[in-house]
Amino acid sequence: MIAAIKPAGANTRGLLAYLYGPSRQDEHLDPRIVAAFAMLGMPDPGRDENATLTQLARHLDAPVHLRNSEFGKPVTDHVWHCPVRAAPTDRYLSDAEWGEIAQRIVEAAGIAPAGDDLACRWIAVRHADDHIHILATTVREDGRRPKFHDSGIRVGDACREIEKDYRLRQLKKGDRTGARRPTQAEMHKAERLGWDQTSPEWLQDRIRAAIPHATSAEEFIAYLEASGIEVQIRRGPSGDLLGYAVGRPGDVNEAGEQIYHPGSKISPDLSLPKIKARLESSRPEEHPTARRNDPSTPWHQATDALDTLHTGLADDTHAQAHITALGELLEATAQKAPAHLHAELRAASKAFARTQWSQVRAEDRAAHALRRAARDIVHTATGPDGSALAALVAALVWAAIVAGRWHEAKNHAHQADTARQAVQHLQTVADRALAPTLAELAARPPRDQARRVLASDVRAAAPDHAERILADPAWPALATVLADAEARGHKPRQLLKEAAAHRELTTARQPARVLITRIQHTGRNPAPNRRAEAARLGSTITGSTPAHQIRRPHVSAVAAITAEQHRQRR
């Protein structure tokens, strides 16, 4: 059940005309009063043909007119309006039940506290099966104004209790960290103009997309302007940037003037001070383009950076910083990923936007590695090879799971829920990204003898999960990956242990796939040359060992078989 308190108004009769009228979609049927501050003698134009809207408005406005006549200064914001809507899956509620719900809402809001005979005047009008509208005039019978501090939170808490008492769909408790819900007017306007999103939703997506591209607030504003967004900035006398508002091209008012939305109104975490703190706390020492020649690609660098998230959750401020930066990395990945993965990654990024922010203060400097990885991807990354992208997406899946667990432990219900939604989208991406790699690996499996040796390595390295790994359809591909890594000088058992340490396998849907992406990432480079290393160590000892006495490195059966297969293919 959702109760949405609207901005205060000044025209009681105008709102009544809407409640008792047919509405634009003609969905207002049989309007009537189901509850009020005093039902006796209440004029109800929906039930009494002699009652008028003007008469009802005067009845409700009586304390307002009396206060205005006594104080001389008229009250101009006295109309309180709160629609209360049940979920589409909820059962039908009778007029009596809606009346009880309305009474609990006005008590929680401070409109009419229980037992207060001098409270504000109010009515609840029902004109549809699934919702009511509560209208109140916010001048008490004694002429005082009610106190509405934190009334939205109290009303939300009352709705959660109502859901339990009436066995309705139970929603998560709000924490004032989410984006503002679109208004009816914004939704109707988007529908009229043929837009898929309302202006605030459209702008929020583009603001979040801009953050990974910037290292300062000025760069952030410049990127928004270059993206075609209308930007209105506020500067102090010194020229410092103090605030910003953004507008969607074509979104104008009746006078043809551009409509602007402050960033903080679009979402609490998109205010200028919060964006500045995120950008400027982790400004890189060099521009990302200066690292183009780094032998490690940005995709692998991002996978390495995600390892810092698991070690940063011990401290709450560091954990929140890492989760916020994880959202930026996810957004950067969505921008640069191949076209066939773009839609699911965008959906994951959009869902994770709610996960990024909570009431916990973030120590943004702690997440420098993740933010640097996000900037490197948007500035320098080109199309990734299949294994690099698969490794990154697999790491993102696990990181989103970890983020959701942290929020769940902190009782951040909305954030934990959206983290789970992001995980579902990321798992779909992971399956698609790994499919070509699996096909290539399945085409060249090791011989049976080599697979038996590698299976024993699996049982030794991950005894608790060995049977699930070996029963996974991707096990033959994992065997190929291990054989390839051994041919490069790595030890399969050690690689398996390291991979299992980075990602617990209990919750993995397909543990062999998880190990494939991790081992391809960590074992992509040849192992150090053992003979050269031995020679180097020997040369540092007085009377170094002669070269002919240095033992040759042992070549295992698996490596020999794999090398023979390579020679046959050539």
Side-chain angles (χ1 to χ4, degrees):
M1 178 166 287
I2 296 176
I5 300 174
K6 302 297 183 180
N11 189 346
T12 305
R13 192 193 181 287
L15 181 54
L16 288 172
Y18 167 75
L19 299 181
Y20 279 90
S23 182
R24 296 173 181 171
Q25 308 295 328
D26 293 328
E27 73 272 21
H28 293 184
L29 303 174
D30 190 21
R32 69 271 189 193
I33 295 176
V34 296
F37 73 98
M39 293 295 287
L40 185 62
M42 176 68 64
D44 184 359
R47 288 290 180 265
D48 184 355
E49 60 182 11
N50 295 318
T52 65
L53 296 179
T54 300
Q55 183 183 4
L56 178 57
R58 288 174 178 172
H59 191 60
L60 294 170
D61 281 339
V64 180
H65 295 317
L66 181 60
R67 176 188 170 99
N68 289 346
S69 63
E70 290 182 355
F71 284 85
K73 184 178 180 180
V75 177
T76 59
D77 57 349
H78 65 279
V79 181
W80 188 86
H81 178 208
C82 179
V84 185
R85 186 179 298 273
T89 56
D90 285 340
R91 65 179 179 85
Y92 176 84
L93 296 169
S94 67
D95 283 2
E97 288 175 316
W98 273 119
E100 295 167 358
I101 291 170
Q103 183 70 54
R104 294 173 67 164
I105 294 294
V106 294
E107 288 180 4
I111 293 292
D116 189 347
D117 296 332
L118 300 177
C120 299
R121 297 189 175 190
W122 63 274
I123 60 171
V125 177
R126 182 180 189 180
H127 55 207
D129 288 343
D130 63 346
H131 71 279
I132 61 173
H133 290 260
I134 303 175
L135 184 157
T137 51
T138 58
V139 174
R140 293 165 47 88
E141 298 288 353
D142 56 10
R144 295 186 294 118
R145 303 294 300 275
K147 296 180 180 180
F148 290 127
H149 180 65
D150 284 340
S151 62
I153 295 178
R154 296 196 301 271
V155 167
D157 292 342
C159 287
R160 304 294 80 79
E161 294 300 321
I162 290 168
E163 291 161 357
K164 295 178 184 177
D165 296 343
Y166 288 83
R167 299 186 303 279
L168 307 175
R169 177 188 174 188
Q170 295 187 17
L171 303 180
K172 306 293 190 301
K173 182 178 179 181
D175 59 0
R176 293 193 289 186
T177 62
R180 176 179 64 83
R181 295 179 183 274
T183 65
Q184 288 287 338
E186 289 169 342
M187 289 189 289
H188 288 318
K189 186 173 187 178
E191 182 180 357
R192 186 175 69 253
L193 296 176
W195 293 341
D196 294 334
Q197 296 175 294
T198 63
S199 290
E201 293 172 324
W202 186 88
L203 290 166
Q204 180 181 177
D205 288 349
R206 278 143 187 83
I207 292 172
R208 295 194 187 279
I211 292 174
H213 291 264
T215 60
S216 68
E218 295 288 352
E219 283 188 19
F220 167 71
I221 295 297
Y223 187 87
L224 291 179
E225 291 175 335
S227 302
I229 297 172
E230 301 292 338
V231 182
Q232 190 178 63
I233 59 176
R234 179 167 56 89
R235 296 186 181 274
S238 63
D240 292 339
L241 192 61
L242 301 180
Y244 78 105
V246 288
R248 182 179 189 173
D251 185 14
V252 296
N253 58 20
E254 295 179 354
E257 300 169 334
Q258 177 68 53
I259 297 175
Y260 288 96
H261 302 267
S264 59
K265 298 297 183 182
I266 294 175
S267 183
D269 63 320
L270 298 183
S271 67
L272 185 66
K274 290 184 172 63
I275 289 177
K276 287 179 68 175
R278 290 159 63 177
L279 295 178
E280 297 177 0
S281 64
S282 57
R283 185 177 300 172
E285 298 79 10
E286 57 185 7
H287 195 274
T289 54
R291 294 190 290 274
R292 282 186 185 275
N293 295 325
D294 193 311
S296 179
T297 69
W299 305 98
H300 285 302
Q301 289 175 330
T303 305
D304 291 335
L306 282 170
D307 292 340
T308 64
L309 183 142
H310 315 304
T311 60
L313 297 182
D315 181 272
D316 285 352
T317 60
H318 288 192
Q320 181 58 71
H322 279 84
I323 292 172
T324 301
L326 173 60
E328 297 172 21
L329 178 57
L330 184 52
E331 172 63 37
T333 305
Q335 292 182 28
K336 289 291 188 173
H340 70 287
L341 303 177
H342 183 75
E344 284 291 339
L345 279 170
R346 288 293 310 135
S349 178
K350 191 174 181 66
F352 200 80
R354 183 70 172 86
T355 311
Q356 287 180 248
W357 181 248
S358 74
Q359 293 285 13
V360 176
R361 183 186 64 83
E363 178 52 66
D364 293 298
R365 289 174 295 181
H368 171 75
L370 282 177
R371 286 204 169 87
R372 171 172 168 163
R375 288 169 183 157
D376 279 359
I377 285 178
V378 296
H379 284 287
T380 70
T382 56
D385 64 81
S387 61
L389 181 60
L392 175 57
V393 176
L396 287 170
V397 171
W398 178 232
I401 291 173
V402 171
R405 289 178 178 177
W406 182 81
H407 279 304
E408 192 171 359
K410 298 299 175 183
N411 295 317
H412 301 159
H414 290 282
Q415 290 86 339
D417 186 52
T418 52
R420 285 189 287 270
Q421 295 175 30
V423 168
Q424 292 175 356
H425 291 293
L426 287 171
Q427 286 174 335
T428 301
V429 176
D431 292 342
R432 294 178 184 175
L434 191 58
T437 300
L438 289 176
E440 186 272 331
L441 294 171
R444 51 182 186 88
R447 293 181 180 179
D448 291 342
Q449 179 184 355
R451 287 172 61 177
R452 286 194 291 270
V453 173
L454 293 170
S456 66
D457 287 334
V458 171
R459 291 188 178 94
D464 295 336
H465 308 284
E467 297 311 314
R468 290 180 61 228
I469 295 171
L470 298 176
D472 192 323
W475 156 240
L478 174 59
T480 304
V481 170
L482 291 171
D484 290 347
E486 189 168 23
R488 290 191 294 271
H490 294 282
K491 296 180 179 180
R493 189 172 300 184
Q494 183 64 30
L495 288 176
L496 286 165
K497 286 182 179 180
E498 292 175 357
H502 278 90
R503 164 66 155 102
E504 62 90 2
L505 301 176
T506 303
T507 57
R509 295 177 305 154
Q510 296 172 301
R513 290 193 178 196
V514 172
L515 293 173
I516 286 171
T517 57
R518 190 71 202 182
I519 291 172
Q520 281 191 324
H521 173 68
T522 57
R524 64 190 183 276
N525 296 321
N529 186 290
R530 297 174 188 173
R531 178 187 293 182
E533 182 68 12
R536 185 187 65 81
L537 293 175
S539 65
T540 62
I541 303 173
T542 304
S544 59
T545 306
H548 69 275
Q549 296 182 13
I550 299 176
R551 296 184 61 188
R552 295 176 60 84
H554 174 68
V555 181
S556 70
V558 177
I561 291 170
T562 304
E564 177 62 25
Q565 289 178 336
H566 290 172
R567 283 193 294 273
Q568 290 175 359
R569 282 199 299 273
R570 288 197 296 270

